[in-house]
Amino acid sequence: MTDQISRIALVTGAGSAEGIGAAAALLLGRAGMRVVVTSTTDRIQDRVAVLRAEGIESVGVAADLTDPAGVNAVMRAARDAFGDPDVLVNNAGMTSVADPDEPASVEDITIEQWQASLDRNLTTALRMTRAVVPSMRAAGYGRIVNVASLSGPVQAYTGDVAYHAAKAGMIGLTRASAVDTAAAGVTVNAVAPGWIQTSSSSAHEVSMGAATPIGRSGTPREVAAAIAFLASEGASYITGQLLVIDGANSINEERAV
C-alpha cells in the first residue's frame, strides 16, 4: 500500500493499547501514512511511542472531543506537525477513561445521561467530520471512516438505549455526509464491529463472541484491516456504506438457548 506514502491520517479514540483505534493507527502508519492520534488522557503518548518505534511519523493529542476546544486542539496539532488530514477515522466513543459512560434502559435513562452518550458517541464524529471536510473538499480527496457498532444499526441488547441510538445515528451521519461530499472526491463509510475482544471485554462478552458462527470474538486488528481498506485510495468508488464485521453473528438464524 505504498500509494499512501504522502497521506495524513487522524485517528480518534486511540488511547487503549488493545483497542480498535490503536490498531487502525498502526495499520495506517504501516501503509505509509503519517498519523495523528488522540484520546481523552495522556496515555495517548504511549501509543505514539509504539508508532514511532515502528518508524511511523506520529503525534498524539489528549483532548475532549465533546468540546469544540478539544477539536480545535487536535486539528491545530495535526496541521502544525504534518498538514491537513487526508484520512479521518472517527473511533472516539463508547466510553472514556476520564468520564465513564452510564448505560441505562429506555425507562430509566435520564435526559442528562442520554445527552452525554449522544455527545460522546455521535456528536464527536460530527464535530471531527466538519473540521476536516473543508480541506478535503479543497484538495479533491478525502477518506472518512466512522466506527459504528453492530449494536444499534443492526441489533440491540438490553439496558443501553442511548448507545444504541447514537450508533444507529452514526449510520445516518455516514450516509448523509457521503452524499454531501461525494462529488468532491471524499468518501464516507462506516464499519460495524460485533463482539471484539479487548482488554475491557467482560467474561459475558467473550462468551457471546464464542457463540458466533466463527466461534470466537473478533480482534481489533481485524476491524482495523477493514478500516485501512476503506481509508485507502483503492476504495474510491465505495461511499455511504456500512461494513459489518461480526463473524456472521447478525445473519445466523440458529442460536443456542
Side-chain angles (χ1 to χ4, degrees):
M1 297 177 66
T2 55
D3 61 334
Q4 303 294 340
I5 192 67
S6 65
R7 298 299 182 193
I8 301 163
L10 197 170
V11 183
T12 70
S16 171
E18 297 181 6
I20 292 169
L26 186 59
L27 288 190
L28 294 174
R30 286 174 175 171
M33 297 189 193
R34 292 166 286 174
V35 181
V36 181
V37 288
T38 181
S39 72
T40 56
T41 69
D42 286 334
R43 66 175 178 166
I44 196 64
Q45 301 307 329
D46 295 332
R47 307 290 79 74
V48 172
V50 171
L51 294 169
R52 290 179 176 173
E54 290 223 5
I56 298 167
E57 293 184 73
S58 177
V59 296
V61 188
D64 178 4
L65 301 183
T66 65
D67 185 339
V71 174
N72 292 339
V74 171
M75 294 301 297
R76 184 167 55 250
R79 288 168 178 147
D80 288 348
F82 305 126
D84 288 308
D86 304 289
V87 171
L88 169 65
V89 179
N90 278 315
N91 180 62
M94 190 166 188
T95 192
S96 162
V97 170
D99 183 20
D101 225 346
E102 297 181 68
S105 70
V106 67
E107 297 169 284
D108 298 329
I109 193 167
T110 66
I111 293 300
E112 290 74 21
Q113 287 172 303
W114 169 268
Q115 191 63 59
S117 187
L118 263 62
D119 283 349
R120 174 177 295 143
N121 293 295
L122 180 57
T123 306
T124 53
L126 172 64
R127 290 186 190 280
M128 291 305 304
T129 299
R130 283 168 51 88
V132 301
V133 161
S135 61
M136 289 180 176
R137 186 182 293 278
Y141 180 91
R143 299 284 182 267
I144 300 172
V145 185
N146 294 324
V147 180
S149 175
L150 199 67
S151 305
V154 182
Q155 296 182 325
Y157 53 82
T158 60
D160 201 351
V161 64
Y163 178 76
H164 288 83
K167 289 301 185 180
M170 186 78 91
I171 307 309
L173 173 63
T174 297
R175 290 174 176 155
S177 300
V179 172
D180 282 347
T181 61
V186 179
T187 67
V188 188
N189 292 288
V191 296
W195 298 111
I196 306 300
Q197 187 162 355
T198 68
S199 57
S200 63
S201 295
S202 66
H204 172 71
E205 289 169 337
V206 173
S207 70
M208 291 295 97
T212 66
I214 283 185
R216 63 171 175 83
S217 298
T219 67
R221 192 184 189 285
E222 288 172 316
V223 180
I227 292 171
F229 168 66
L230 292 172
S232 72
E233 293 184 10
S236 54
Y237 205 60
I238 303 171
T239 194
Q241 302 304 307
L242 173 66
L243 178 56
V244 175
I245 308 167
D246 73 340
N249 192 44
S250 58
I251 63 170
N252 185 26
E253 290 191 31
E254 297 183 323
R255 297 179 184 271
V257 178

